[in-house]
Structure formats: C-alpha cells, structure tokens
Amino acid sequence: MKSYGLSLATAAVLGDEEKKMAAENASIEGEEGSFSLTVEEKKALSALDSSLFGFLSQTEDGARTKTLLNKAIHCYESLIVKAEGKVESDYFCQLGHFNLLLEDYSKALSSYQRYYSLQTDYWKNAAFLYGLGLVYFYYNAFQWAIRAFQDVLYVDPSFCRAKEIHLRLGFMFKVNTDYESSLKHFQLALIDCNTCTLSSVEIQFHIAHLYETQRKYHFAKEAYEQLLQIESLPSQVKATVLQQLGWLHHNMDLVGDKVNKERYAIQYLQKSLEEDPNSGQSWYFLGRCYSSIGKVQDAFVSYRQSIDKSEASADTWCSIGVLYQQQNQPMDALQAYICAVQLDHGHAAAWMDLGILYESCNQPQDAIKCYLNATRSKSCNNTSALTSRIMFLQAQLCNHPQGSLQNKTKLLPSIEEAWSLPIPAELTSRQGAMNTAQQNVSDSWNNGHTASHHPVQQQVYTQRFTEQNLQGSDKDQSLYLATVNDDHPPYLTGSTKYLQAASTGIQNQNGNHSVPQNSRPKGHAPNHFSFHIPTSEEQKVTNCTKESKHSRSRSLSSKTSRQDISNICINVKGHSNHVHQITSVAISSPNNEDSESTNLVVDNPQPSALVGEAIDSVGTGTCDKVNNVHPAIHKMPDNLAASSPSSANSTESLSPKLTNQNHAHITGFIIPHSRLHTSNKEGQENSESSVVVNLGLRPRPQITPPVSVSIYSTSTEVLKACRNLDKNGLSNSHVLLDICPPPRPPTSPYPPLPKEKLNPPTPSIYLENKRDAFFPLLHQFCINPKNPVTVIRGLAGALKLDLGLFSTKTLVEANNDHMVEVRTQLLQPADENWDPTGTKKIWRYENKSSHTTIAKYAQYQACSFQESLKEENERRMQVKDYSDSESTSSDNCGRKRKGPFKTIKCGINIDLSDIKKWRLQLHELTKLPAFVRVISAGNLLSHVGYTILGMNTVQLCMKVPGSRIPGHQENNNFCSVNINIGPGDCEWFVVPEDYWGVLNDFCEKNNLNFLMSSWWPNLEDLYEANVPVYRFIQRPGDLVWINAGTVHWVQAIGWCNNIAWNVGPLTAFQYKLAVERYEWNKLQSVKSVVPMVHLSWNMARNIKVSDPKLFEMIKYCLLKILKQCQTLREALVAAGKEVLWHGRINGEPAPYCSICEVEVFNLLFVTNESNSEKTFKVHCQNCARKTSGNLENFVVLEQYKMEDLMQVYDQFTLAPSLSSAS
C-alpha cells in the first residue's frame, strides 16, 4: 500500500520528524515566552535602580526580586541583540542598574558605558552617576568614584542615598590622606537621619579614628570615651573602642607617666578581650604592653594567643623574634624572624631585625643580605641609615683576609639555609597549622628584662564596610576593622645601636604583607576587599583585576600609604566572630595570573556654572571651552566585553566624541537661547535609527525644561511662569535647581607651547612719577586676561608711599600684642621641595600652624638676622676665598642643601582692618590708584556689604629667608594686590589660569586637595607637562598684580614684610571666574569665602552695568534665585510650614549652612532651639530635611520680601555705555 508515493515506513518516519520539529518549535516559543515580562513585572522593575544597591536583601521579597532581575536581564539582552543594539539609551542604563543590584560589576560597567556613549546629558541622571560611582568604587578607582559621587550631590543634593555617598567619600578621602575632607563627609553622614549600611555609632567610631590618624590623640581619646558612654553599644564596637583606647595609652603621647599609661592600656585591652576573647589583635597589643614593662612570659603567652586566634601575622612573629633575641636565644629568634618575612616578604622591620641578629652573631655577609632586602621594601623608612650600614659592613669585609670569616664557626644557619627550613612553610596555613609550626619554636618562656623598643608610633584601626555594606552583598551584615600602622609597624625590634632611624612624619604600611594564596583552605573565601590608590606613575591608568565576586579578596592597600592590615570581623547581629588575615591583592599587579586587567582612563567631563549654563566667550583674550568628557574605560577585558550582548558596541571609549575643539573649561551663565551640550554624532545616529522596543522600562527622571522666560522678562512674568508649573504637572523640586553640568577643571590648552616658551618674560611696568601710576592704560593692562600677572616696578617711589609705616619696628610700636598666625616650615631651595629626609622631591608641603604676637615674631625675625650675620662671618673667617656668589642670600635659603633642613617660621594673616589701630597705615594706602585700592566703587568686593578678612581688608606677612606661601589661587578667583615692604626680596612663581586644571591633576596624583592642601609644585613636572611658569623677583616698593584665577606661590629671599588684599574688577571675565569657582567649591564641598548670590543682588542694587555680557550673567543669576525663592516659599506654605519674617541688618554677614557650608539666601532654616536662644544656627534646605524629614524641628526665617527682590530685579537694566551716551 502506498501513500502519496511513499511507503508506510517512510511516511511513519517523516511523521515522527514532523512531530519532533513541532515539539522543538513549541519549546522555543515557550522559552521565549517564559522571558517575556508581565505588566506586574514591568511595574516592579520600574521601581528598581542603583539606589537599592546594598538594600535589596532588606526588602521582604528580596529573593523574588533577584529572580525577576535575572529574568529581566535575559529579556533585555535578547531584545537588544535582536535590535542590533539600536535601542534607546535608557535601556542600557536600566540594564546597568539590574546588573549592579546583582553585583555583576563587569556587566554593569559595560551597560553604563553604552548609556554614557549614547546619552549626551548623562549628567542629569543621578541614579546613573551613583551606579557608576559604585562600580568605580568596587574597582578601587577612587579618583573617578569621587568624581561620580560628587556629581550626584551636585545635580541632586537631596539624592536618597546621599548618606551612603558621604560615607564612601569619607572613606576614600581618608585613604587619600585628605583628612579634612574625610571628616566633613563623615559628619555629613552622621547628621543624616536616613537609613544607611552603617549605624551612627559606627560612623562615630570612624570620626574618632580619623582624629587618631591625624595624630590628634586627645580628640580621639575623648571621642572613644564618648562612645563607651552610649548605652546598648554593640559588643564588637565596644571591644574595638576599648582596644583602641588601650593602644592609645600604650603608644601615643598622652598626659601621664609611663607606668600609669601602661596600666590603663592593659586594663582597656583586658576589657576588650572580655567583650571579644577571639580578637587576635587585642592579644597582640596586650603582648606589646607586657613586653614594654618587662613581663616577658606574659608577653609570650599573649603573642601565642594572638597566633591561635588569628591568621598568620608577620608583626606578631617579628615581635616574638625580638623577645627571643632579648632573651639571648638567637636560633629561636632566627626562626621567628624567618616566619615573619616568609609571611610578608616586604616586612622591612623583620629584615632589619634579622640583619641586626646576624651582625650580632658576627655573620656580616648574611646581615648585608637582610639589610638589602629591608631597603628594597616599600615600607622601609630609614633607607639612608641602612645604606650607610651596608657600606660600612662591605668595607669591613674588604679589610678581612679571604677565608677568615669562612673558617669561623657560624652560630646561625645562613639566610639561604634558614629560608629553606620547614617552619615558615608550615606557618603559611591557618590557625591549626600555626599551632603545628609553633611547636618548632622553643617553648622555654624565660623571664627577663625587655629590650628597648624600636620607635613605634601609632597603631590604629580603620573601621570598614563589609562585603554587603560596600558591595551590596546580601549576607548578614557585619563590620570589619583593619589594623593600620600609621608610622611604624607595631612590633618590637632589637638593639638599634648600629642604626639610626631617620623617620619623621606619617608612614603608612598598607598591604605590604599578605598570606600566600595557597595558605587558605579550599572553599574559604575571605569576605573582604582591596583598595588600590594609583601612584603618580599610575596617574591615568589603573589596572583592575576581576575575580569571582564571591572569592575576591579585597584589602585596603596603597602604594602611597602603606599599612599593615589584618581584619577583625565585628558581627553586628550577634553571629560568631573570627579574625581574617587580609591577603592584599593589588589590583594593578601584573603578576596576578588569575586577573584580567582593564585600563580606566580619565578624561574630563563637561563643566558647569553657578546659576546657568554657559556663555560663549567673555573678555578679551578668553576662549571658553565646552569639554564634555567623562572618566572612561578605553580598554576592556575579554570577560567584560562579553558580559552582555550590548558589549559589542560598548567596548569603545566611554568618552563621547568631541566635535568642537574650541572648548571652555567651566561654562558660565548661558544666554537663554544657547545650549551647552556637545553634539554626539554616534548617539544621534543610534537614536535616529533605533528600534523602539517597549520593555516597560521606567523612564529616566526628566529634568524640567527652563521656564519660558528670559532675563528681559519682568519679575511678575517670571513668578507667574513659576506658579503655572504645578498646573502643567511639573514638580516643584525640579524648579529649585536649573540643573547644570557638574563643573570640571580645564584641560591643558592646545596646541601645547614649545619648550622655549615655558619660561615667558613677566609683564612689567616701570613707573617714574605719579602720573604714570594713574594712567588709564595701566589699569587696562593689568586686568587684561592675557596677562596673568603684572609687576609694577617703583610704585612706592612714584607715589611717595611711606613703606616705613609697615616696617617691623613701626608695627611693634603701634600694636605689639597684635595676633600673628605662624607657619612652621622647613628651609628649602626656592625652586625645589624635598621630603624631610632630603631624598626625593615631593609636592606636599608641610607647615604647621600656631599663633604668637607681633612683638614675639619681631624678636624672632631679628634673632634670625643676627644668626645669619654670625654664620656668614664665621664662614668668611674659615674660608678666605669664599666666592661672593656662594655667600648670597640664596645660599641662606638652603639652595645647596638637600636635608636635613632647618626649621623656620613665617608670620602670616596679620589683620590690619581695624581703622582705630592702623589709621596711619590704611590712610597711606589711599594714595594708590583706584583700581588697586582696598575700597573703591569699581571693586566688586566693596559691594559685599561686610568685612571678609584678607579680601576686602589689608593683611600683612612677616618673613625670614625661605618663608613660603604655598601654591594657590585666590579665594573665588579674585585678583590680588601685593606690595613688598622690604628690606629683602621675594621670588614669585606664576602659572596662567588656563593651566589650573593641570595643577589640579598633579595634586590628585600626589594625594593632595588642590583647594585645601598645602603644596609646592615641582617645576620639572610642570615643564614636562608643557605648563608655562612666570618667575620673577619682587623688590621693595614693587606691586604685584595677580590677575583673576592665576595660580602662584612665593618664597622670601631675604627678611621682608608684605601687605596684600584682593580686588574684584568690574568685568565679565572676573565675574565669570568667580562664579565658576563658586560652583567648583560647591562640587568639592568647600566653602566659598565670597557669597556670590548675595554679592550679585548687591551689585544689582548698587551698580549700573554697561557691559552686555556682565549684565546678562548677573541678570540670569537674579532670575534663577528669584525663581528659587518664590518656588521654595510657595512649597513651604503649601506644606503648612510657616515662614517668619526675620529681616537683615546692614553689615550682617551672608548666612552659610552650618553643616555643608553652602551659601543660604533669603530663606533660612534654623532649629527651634537656636531660634529661641537667638543664636540662629542656619541650615540649608537639604541639610534641614536630612536632619528632620518633615522639618518639624525647624523654623523658616525670611530675610527679604519678595516684593523687594522683584523691585531690584526689575530696576536692574543695562546702562548705556559711555560711547553711546556721548
């Protein structure tokens, strides 16, 4: 029988195949259907973004949410592949959020990259910036994590995770040794009442530890003791606080005799062990205390307990070695030292002590090898002393007959033989193996006198997030504390009779010793992480390693701040505690075979301004640049590139393409019809040709478009437009801030200058008479933006100024008890800055602050001069043919010396504002031309309305040779006037404003804060970066005009006094730079000394402006502030919050927020207590809401009536220019 020409068998086979194919098709359709999202799932996903990172496990349906996220990721990736990547940018942003919540950082980074490349106004999306910052934080790219987090706070100060951001910024600044910024962010986190991954007591601990790190031991002790007074303090936090107090009493310079301090230290440590008996670190500290008072047996017992309770510790074994050596047990000491260096090959003190041991046993060859290993360690802080000792021993070996040393019987095995002993290998395993290894060490615990300690400074703790706190893990929350040795490691060392440690200042030993990877039992994954701080060589590239997210060992490690670290797990929820020894995984290490690296390359994102968007160009010679670049990943590892289907298009640079090479470094105010953003061709093409796929994504929060009013609208029209916003369905919160791109420093001007132009001649004007000083062209020459600095020679002589009124003798006679701020410095060469040991050039410039009186400093100045004359006479007597060139004052500045350096003192910030005390001096300055006077109608600072010391008042400096004013720009980029009183000269170094971004980059590479730190540039670095430096001598009677934004630093060549103040020319260029710095300060959480909003309203009241560009910028500022005041006031009234009239007194300083230090205009939020007590502790709206969400503890005070502000706004119009009027 046939069926359609086929046999029955064939038909049956074909029928089976058809059924099979149908089943497969059904299976495929079912699989696709299983990854489609329901309406409920889309709604749930729309509420998920980066702000839930670290909090997902705290939700009731955390596990179900993770399942949904995995499903959503698969669905989105499939659809993106189907659309060939041509989808809207928001899809990639949401995909980045989903991957971040699941802690798949490589996929999150890939998705965020794609979003960044497609979205030109990415900076408006706070959730994206926060997610990007978390990814950078995970990869230890602190420089870029800080930028991303700062951008979040700038574009959205009320961001829901602001507390998390402040906490992370506090940690990163702490690692970068920017302690002032760290403290500020910790305090901002502490006042925030929102939920956070750390409790308030844990944040308080960080603040206390920060004081300890800064060597403010009394503040730290007080803070720790306040923590102990808190009821229901978590047991592990209490144990750690007690541990810290014990170490403070043992090792720090606290009041009291040594016996009592050691007694308190032991008591605190014993109490700490009662709270946490498994703390190996506490046992170790206790051993150190017993050793210091001669209880050797107790010390040994404590050290053994430390080894039993914790992982292998090089510090502990080094201390045990010292005790054995002191007890005259060299073989046991050798074994202990070998254990230490086996655990940490770079343990400098163990190598040094081992060298001392060999030398005491008359084995100089082995001693030399140990000393050499010590000098090669990054933690070595006395390289010069060790090098001298090595040379001495080598010279001794050369004098000995060959074979004489070999014939002697060796007391100890050679270093090669000792290294091959089995003990160190056995010690590399954990606790159980530690006990096995310890059996090989002599158990004869002999009593005896303890030897003198190696200089030990500070043993402190860095309290840290756990994996779930920092990386969003869903495991039980716990807190880690890592030991940090800020000066020297906390181990004893043997006799130092052969060596002299030349160590001063902080030396952090971070991450120098680690447990080998094979020391961990299989399956054990330490729950900690690693920070790597890029060094100057790694300024733009950080190599990131990506291991399994469940097995990655992450420890706080730094090349610039080296610390010995061990983790003590504090289980906040009551689970068992155990001690982990961190394995330091340097994420930039090329030797990590299991790691794959990616280069994170920094470019500069788009800049912004105070209250507007941009102005194309201002003033003669300016070229305003729009630079829309962002921290980027230019090279991605294979696993990162393949992490999602979208990665095919995301492996390119995260930086958008620059289509306009005519850049502006920080955009000022925009004329309302212009736009700041750079075009992104790739993004536009993708957008135009994109396939619209409805994935149910939550739309990215939209920024309210600018109100349809211009600066030429009346105030009534402006406020009417604001009132209509609610009717149009727009949120008030968006009107409070017309969001601008976060400001960015300028990139180095292009094309770079040729090398022969890097030392340009300084613009100088020579005056012969009074007429020359008042010549109008002199004013125009000085304020020309093309001239960063102008030296007006012979000004005092031309104007017949009596400089003697400012001499030291006259100052003492006038007010001898007047306050002087003193900066203690090191006498250095004028063009160089060396570390205290004189071994390398550095940027950081240490100068400690104190106070004295004019009379006392005058006495110091005179004694310095007499000592110099005496030294010079002695040199002349000793060397008859001493050359004149070598006996000049430049030699007195230490030009030939490279350390150790002499200590000198510089008197600064001597306030001459009191007209009653300094009437003659201030009257003499009225002889100056108007444009350089302290007070004049054309000086913006004269319209602030109150005194800003040192800016619109005169300040004086008293100097000895070598006194320095470190690198800086003037407050808010205002111009500066400086007159040298004499009798000595000063040397100036000046860099144009266009290059301040380059100097800011150098400060970041050297872990310095450009705005707040004290730094002295290395000229070699500047010339290599093609930065021009003006260098000139200021003689007595010369006036130096520093133009707006110019970077400068000064050193006195001789004994001299200087007077200085700031000036604000009435120009668009000056106003623009002042506003840009106002916004940059806000981004950097630094207080702006000049209240630019307050000043802008006073300018509108007092000044007629004929410059259209200056008028437009001021008017736009008024427009923004008027809208903000009206909208905020209406929102408060609508919420039932009463606004009380307060008014403002003439001469009253502009109010600043007492928490974040931003300027607060018109509406002041003060606490009920301060209002009743009339102390008026002012808060900004954001800080008030963080402290009290519904503002129930605050009173709102109003300083200006809206009618008054409207009148000022309407009456401020463009005045006709002089030429048109004529």
Side-chain angles (χ1 to χ4, degrees), residues 601-615:
V601 181
V602 179
D603 291 316
N604 292 319
Q606 196 177 54
S608 91
L610 156 73
V611 281
E613 296 163 358
I615 187 165

Side-chain angles (χ1 to χ4, degrees), residues 134 137 149 163-172 186 189 196-199 202-203 206 462-472 477-482 527-529 531 554 567-568 570:
L134 291 172
F137 187 84
F149 287 146
K163 187 172 184 177
E164 292 287 332
I165 290 176
H166 286 304
L167 208 51
R168 284 169 169 81
L169 286 173
F171 275 98
M172 290 186 286
F186 279 142
C196 181
T197 48
L198 286 186
S199 66
E202 292 164 351
I203 298 174
H206 280 295
T462 300
Q463 192 169 16
R464 308 162 63 187
F465 293 111
T466 54
E467 191 79 17
Q468 83 284 352
N469 281 339
L470 279 182
Q471 310 307 335
Q477 293 189 13
S478 59
L479 179 68
Y480 277 88
L481 302 177
N527 193 19
H528 38 249
F529 57 93
F531 291 153
R554 316 186 63 174
N567 265 5
I568 301 169
I570 292 186

Side-chain angles (χ1 to χ4, degrees), residues 268-333:
Y268 279 124
L269 290 169
Q270 288 173 340
K271 290 180 181 179
S272 176
L273 288 168
E274 291 175 5
E275 297 289 337
D276 181 14
N278 294 320
S279 172
Q281 194 66 55
S282 293
W283 282 111
Y284 172 72
F285 288 165
L286 190 59
R288 290 290 302 277
C289 293
Y290 282 138
S291 176
S292 67
I293 61 176
K295 293 187 177 182
V296 179
Q297 183 174 356
D298 291 337
F300 273 121
V301 171
S302 298
Y303 288 148
R304 291 192 64 174
Q305 286 282 357
S306 174
I307 293 173
D308 290 340
K309 303 296 184 183
S310 63
E311 297 177 7
S313 169
D315 291 345
T316 305
W317 282 106
C318 186
S319 295
I320 291 174
V322 171
L323 282 182
Y324 276 133
Q325 189 172 350
Q326 292 169 349
Q327 298 307 305
N328 197 24
Q329 297 173 243
M331 188 61 193
D332 293 332

